[in-house]
Amino acid sequence: MRITGGAPLRSQVWETEKLRCNLCGEVFTAPLPEEAGTEKYDETAGAMVGLLRYGSGLPFNRLEHLQESMAALCRPPRSGT
């Protein structure tokens, strides 16, 4: 058996090239790869946050500090009030 550690959440950023036509000025943007998906958050991200918060009792501010220390781009949910 081999157990490895890692961040509870992982993020990936895709930067697309933008090219502008010198003749008409229109900007053309390259399409995102299929693995980028259409949603910002995967369904597993919400499940992991819920598991850490309500299953393990990890407060959102500690989850935020944990993710910042691992250089992940994740923020706690904001309340509607």
Side-chain angles (χ1 to χ4, degrees):
M1 178 188 298
R2 181 179 180 150
I3 301 172
T4 60
L9 299 173
R10 188 175 60 93
S11 62
Q12 186 171 359
V13 177
W14 287 276
E15 294 182 8
T16 58
E17 285 191 310
K18 293 184 180 184
L19 302 173
R20 184 177 53 85
C21 176
N22 285 333
L23 185 60
C24 66
E26 186 176 352
V27 176
F28 297 93
T29 304
L32 289 170
E34 284 188 27
E35 60 266 13
T38 57
E39 301 284 328
K40 181 175 182 177
Y41 296 101
D42 186 54
E43 56 273 356
T44 59
M48 180 55 77
V49 169
L51 180 64
L52 288 172
R53 174 65 182 109
Y54 302 107
S56 300
L58 187 67
F60 287 131
N61 63 332
R62 288 188 186 164
L63 178 61
E64 181 178 17
H65 292 298
L66 175 66
Q67 290 301 125
E68 285 176 355
S69 70
M70 295 182 182
L73 301 174
C74 180
R75 296 287 179 258
R78 305 284 184 224
S79 64
T81 58

